[in-house]
Amino acid sequence: MNKLRQWFESLKERERRMVVIGAVAVGVLILAGGVLLPLQSALSTAVSRRDAKLEDLAWMQLHATEVRAGGGLLPQDTGEPPVVLVDRVGHEAGLADSLRGTQPSGAAGVRVQLESAPFDTLVAWLATLEQRYGLAIESITVDRTARPGLVNASVTFTQPSR
């Protein structure tokens, strides 16, 4: 440090001013480039993240009733074996006269045979089993009958593991 002071004192007045001005300029550049710019960048990033989160919150508050209402759309777990569930829901849907056989298929599957089932009722029954109870159609065969609007069907359902 002494050598630096001696060197500085050995300079002429004009050279000392130039060194001081240069040191101040370098100090300002270091402060601006090394501290203030990264700080400003971090601040602007934080502000934009906050704004995005506020927009998300506003959207969630606006659509909260829709989200709560959609909670009923989750598949229900009745605790019934899939064979019993498919048969019960089929009877409730009005397919009791058309159900010809319901048997287990694999670990969590069910195979159902229907004869002369009203097509619209069959489609509504399939939608109910998927949307309300989470049963997925693994395979389906639908054949028309001689009477319009009635079909014969063979459906295999699987129950996804939870």
Side-chain angles (χ1 to χ4, degrees):
M1 196 69 162
N2 285 335
K3 284 187 178 184
L4 186 60
R5 186 171 295 175
Q6 288 174 354
W7 171 80
F8 183 72
E9 289 175 359
S10 70
L11 296 175
K12 295 179 185 175
E13 185 63 32
R14 184 172 181 214
E15 291 172 340
R16 282 186 207 166
R17 266 188 262 143
M18 292 299 289
V19 169
V20 169
I21 291 171
V24 169
V26 168
V28 168
L29 287 174
I30 290 174
L31 179 67
V35 176
L36 296 179
L37 287 178
L39 186 61
Q40 188 272 336
S41 175
L43 182 63
S44 82
T45 301
V47 167
S48 56
R49 278 192 9 227
R50 185 207 59 183
D51 291 344
K53 288 182 182 200
L54 286 173
E55 287 176 19
D56 290 345
L57 177 62
W59 184 90
M60 286 182 212
Q61 289 172 336
L62 182 66
H63 294 90
T65 55
E66 294 174 44
V67 172
R68 284 188 194 106
L73 299 177
L74 297 175
Q76 297 175 6
D77 186 10
T78 62
E80 297 174 293
V83 173
V84 175
L85 176 67
V86 167
D87 193 56
R88 178 180 61 79
V89 175
H91 280 80
E92 291 172 0
L95 293 171
D97 294 339
S98 301
L99 288 169
R100 294 293 177 251
T102 305
Q103 59 191 20
S105 172
V110 180
R111 183 180 165 106
V112 182
Q113 296 287 335
L114 297 111
E115 288 182 10
S116 299
F119 181 76
D120 293 342
T121 306
L122 173 69
V123 171
W125 173 67
L126 293 172
T128 300
L129 287 170
E130 182 201 2
Q131 294 170 357
R132 193 177 301 161
Y133 300 102
L135 291 179
I137 297 173
E138 184 176 291
S139 67
I140 185 168
T141 305
V142 180
D143 299 314
R144 61 181 163 184
T145 64
R147 292 187 52 205
L150 298 181
V151 295
N152 296 329
S154 174
V155 185
T156 304
F157 295 98
T158 59
Q159 187 172 33
S161 59
R162 295 181 193 232

